[in-house]
Amino acid sequence: MKVLSVVGARPQFIKCAPVSRGLRKVHEEVLVHTGQHYDYLLSEVFFRDLGIPAPDYHLDIGSGSHGVQTGRMLAAVEEVIGKEEPGIVLVYGDTNSTLAGALAAAKMHVPVAHVEAGLRSFDRRMPEEVNRVLTDHCSDILFCPTATAVANLAAEGVTAGVHLTGDVMVDALRENLPLAKERSTALTDLGLSRKGYYLATVHRAGNTDDPAALRAIMEAFSRLDAPVVFPVHPRTRKKFTEYRITPAANVRVVEPLPYFDMLTLLSGARAVLTDSGGVQKEAYILEVPCVTLRENTEWVETLEDGWNVLVGADADRIVAEAERGGGGRHSARFGDGHAAARIAAIIREFGP
């Protein structure tokens, strides 16, 4: 079958790598990059490091408001679908690229498959939550990473085409952590020792677009008892200038990191402070305590097993939980590292 895969943002490139390898053993894949993430350190470097084939189509959509960006993607993906006539369109995660790919396919009566289906934060103020719900409800095949995701879909009346595959992020970590340890010099380059620093990421609009929230988070970082390595998203860096925020001396602001460097820093951190869903899950898999700078999460398993805690943008809570460290029980709730193979096999069964 011809599978048209739509990606556009850093987390999708990571998930796409093992799935693409699995797909190409039995299918023809056409890879479409929307250009949602277009900075080299958030895009091309991942194709290089993860061995992802060069995109067959690069749509160069770039940034913009949610409506403008999604609309431009929708029109461009629709044109590619019309040209390629795929048997199925595969989308990942919860970005505007995800929704645009799913809507374009559904409107053209092409089956949609969604990797990472069924996730819910139950906060419709988050654009990612809207993207998840709409994508799931127009998908024909729903690849769920966890049993919780399957239950979320059932609660919404979605039961047909639902498959519990495990999480492809486990596949990616198993493949790439040994390579990261072999190739990355991030700890040496930054003068760090294992468990002697915190790692932070902040990019969600709820934090970056709220001056009080971003200031509180940066104040918390300044009070921590060890250096804070902070790879800064371009949008967050712009907000520093707009809000006149100067990171404290203990906060090591760096450019977005290649995947191998990020894996090395994450696996060696005392704790991670983040508003990223993907980083929460990676921290759990790597058994690193996580302090989530949100009031909710789609990865409830990380909370239930004790590796994650929600603190919002409360500076005192951030400091207390980060310095407390902690950890909990660990299980294979996110799968066994063979999700990509299951996805390729299910798509094969779906085809003609």
Side-chain angles (χ1 to χ4, degrees), residues 108-121:
M108 298 182 75
H109 309 291
V110 177
V112 179
H114 184 200
V115 174
E116 215 171 68
L119 301 187
R120 297 292 183 269
S121 68

Side-chain angles (χ1 to χ4, degrees), residues 124-137:
R124 292 291 181 94
R125 295 171 299 175
M126 296 175 61
E128 295 87 356
E129 183 76 354
V130 175
N131 291 343
R132 294 178 194 125
V133 173
L134 294 178
T135 299
D136 284 340
H137 282 263

Side-chain angles (χ1 to χ4, degrees), residues 2 31 59 92 94-95 137 196 225 243 267 269 279 287 322 334 352:
K2 181 185 286 189
L31 187 59
L59 305 182
Y92 294 80
D94 56 18
T95 70
H137 282 263
D225 58 358
Y243 304 151
S267 64
V279 174
E287 300 187 41
F334 294 108

Side-chain angles (χ1 to χ4, degrees), residues 316-333:
D316 291 337
R317 291 171 65 199
I318 293 169
V319 173
E321 293 295 343
E323 294 184 349
R324 182 179 67 85
R329 67 188 183 95
H330 202 267
S331 66
R333 300 181 71 167

